[in-house]
Amino acid sequence: MFFKQNAEDSQHKAETSQSPPEPAVVPDQRPSESQPESGDIIAFVGEEVTFKGTIRYQGTVRVDGRLEGEIYTDGNLIIGQKAVITAKIHAGTIMSQGKITGEVEAKHRVKLLCPAVFDGTITTPLLSMDEGVMFNGTCNMPNKMERKGRETKLVVSIEEGVKVR
């Protein structure tokens, strides 16, 4: 749970109380590179949480605890540094600093950020991996014909390009 404290409340507390004001609790912020491409985090699995089962959701979810089972979404999955996941994962975008064991399929991309550990199979059109990531497994990337919108098309035929008047 996150709490916000505005400047007026902090100033009022400082004026009416001899003890120093309590600092506001803010969510763990990562550099912009590790932030999801779209949407705010709609759910959070904390470090002390252990979950077994199937998760289906839309939007962005952050996992910092232990998870065993299956995850299905077209949205984003953010896996924190202390997370341990043993699962079959189907997601739009996956960003991980934690440990994943299993079969991963991402529609858009997978980002493995140091100190991530991965054991299993990844299927994704785009994969990025920081130096220091432990990768034990296989990566399947769709060939050019399967990548939608990525093909290079010949705009002008060769004959038209070399016509001389």
Side-chain angles (χ1 to χ4, degrees):
M1 183 178 286
F2 304 118
F3 298 98
K4 288 186 178 178
Q5 193 174 45
N6 65 30
E8 291 176 12
D9 288 345
S10 296
Q11 184 178 8
H12 179 70
K13 283 183 183 178
E15 291 171 0
T16 60
S17 173
Q18 296 294 340
S19 61
E22 294 181 26
V25 177
V26 293
D28 183 21
Q29 295 294 321
R30 301 277 186 240
S32 61
E33 179 184 9
S34 65
Q35 292 296 319
E37 272 80 274
S38 61
D40 292 329
I41 294 174
I42 60 166
F44 181 82
V45 178
E47 288 181 28
E48 301 298 319
V49 176
T50 299
F51 179 85
K52 290 185 181 184
T54 301
I55 296 177
R56 294 180 192 277
Y57 66 91
Q58 293 181 1
T60 299
V61 171
R62 181 178 174 103
V63 177
D64 284 317
R66 293 183 163 275
L67 193 142
E68 184 177 325
E70 299 177 18
I71 301 172
Y72 298 98
T73 183
D74 286 334
N76 301 314
L77 175 62
I78 301 171
I79 301 167
Q81 190 170 357
K82 295 185 179 180
V84 178
I85 296 180
T86 304
K88 181 177 184 177
I89 301 172
H90 291 269
T93 298
I94 300 168
M95 289 174 270
S96 176
Q97 288 184 305
K99 181 174 183 178
I100 302 174
T101 302
E103 184 179 317
V104 171
E105 184 174 337
K107 288 183 181 180
H108 305 293
R109 69 177 48 171
V110 174
K111 290 183 179 181
L112 298 176
L113 306 169
C114 191
V117 176
F118 181 83
D119 291 300
T121 301
I122 292 178
T123 302
T124 184
L126 294 170
L127 172 67
S128 65
M129 197 176 325
D130 282 352
E131 184 175 328
V133 169
M134 298 289 290
F135 185 91
N136 298 309
T138 60
C139 178
N140 300 312
M141 299 178 84
N143 66 30
K144 285 185 179 183
M145 296 308 290
E146 292 174 323
R147 291 186 190 176
K148 296 178 182 168
R150 301 246 187 243
E151 300 95 10
T152 303
K153 295 183 179 179
L154 184 60
V155 177
V156 179
S157 70
I158 294 173
E159 291 175 357
E160 293 175 5
V162 291
K163 281 184 182 176
V164 179
R165 294 180 194 221

